Amino acid sequence: MENVAVLLADPAAWAALVTLIVMEVVLGLDNLIFISIISNKLPEAYRQKARRIGIGLALVMRLILLTMIAWIVGLTTPVFDLGITGPLDEYGRPAFETSFSWRDLILMVGGLFLVWKATKEIHHSVDTGVSDDLLDKKRVAETAFGAAIVQIVLLDIVFSIDSILTAVGMTDHVEIMYVAVVVAVAVMLLAADPLGNFINKNPTVVMLALGFLLMIGMVLIAEGFGVHVPKGYIYAAMAFSALVEMLNIFNRRAKLRKDAQVQATRGGAE
């Protein structure tokens, strides 16, 4: 309690908390988009339940990992090295390297899974034929629900490890990490249904979200090979794409309203 009281009186701790909350919310966006995409493949009666379980598991995993800080930090220790490195940049860092830690391997597996899943869902979005996917709405709902939860859990593990390692790199106070994680997951919980419903009602947004997941998957694979991709560039590109799509949505709705008014005017004249 004394340590908590000291932190409450420390402006630097509050600044670290606010910064970490923002970072955790931004990092949680990837997780949330994936959960929204997967849950929207389920029958409507199961969607909210899948989102709640997925986000709840994300919170549980993050809290458990926070109690294992020493083990998490140890995941960054190289376990094997192929001895291959890329050319050095102006800062003397290799463009890529093949010294792999458990974190690198987890990120690569998660990235490959995201690339596979996003590519498969894009194929299903443009293919009008019959699908044999377990998450197809024509399949038994319980089987689809179980398959959705398994996929959500797999990505929860990857995103949770990345989230906690980010928190460890920003502050030494576990208390601040706990608060930031809980607040970030609470924001995810509040945003889950609105985001999922918005994606479901706008088919073009589904394709955009799948494109985001494809890009995030490639970034995870690159990070596994030691290639540093500034997250600011990634999220700036995502924000710009989302802004353009919002303008397209507003334009389509304005056109629909205008067409409806024209039809009403013609009907009245007749």
Side-chain angles (χ1 to χ4, degrees), residues 73-95:
V73 173
L75 289 178
T76 59
T77 302
V79 291
F80 67 91
D81 189 350
L82 300 180
I84 303 173
T85 57
L88 301 180
D89 60 17
E90 62 271 22
Y91 301 105
R93 297 175 303 189

Side-chain angles (χ1 to χ4, degrees), residues 69 85 92 100 117 148 153 156 164 173 181 187 202 209 222 266 270:
I69 292 292
T85 57
F100 298 105
K117 186 61 184 175
V153 168
D156 273 347
I164 298 306
H173 301 290
V181 165
V187 172
N202 297 275
R266 290 177 179 176
E270 293 175 357

Side-chain angles (χ1 to χ4, degrees), residues 133-148:
D133 188 5
L134 278 176
L135 293 183
D136 195 294
K137 294 178 183 178
K138 296 181 180 179
R139 293 292 183 125
V140 180
E142 288 77 10
T143 303
F145 183 81

Side-chain angles (χ1 to χ4, degrees), residues 30 33-34 37 114-115 118 209-218:
D30 306 341
I33 290 175
F34 182 80
I37 291 291
L114 267 184
V115 170
L210 289 172
F212 289 163
L213 292 181
L214 195 60
M215 180 171 61
I216 292 164
M218 292 303 298

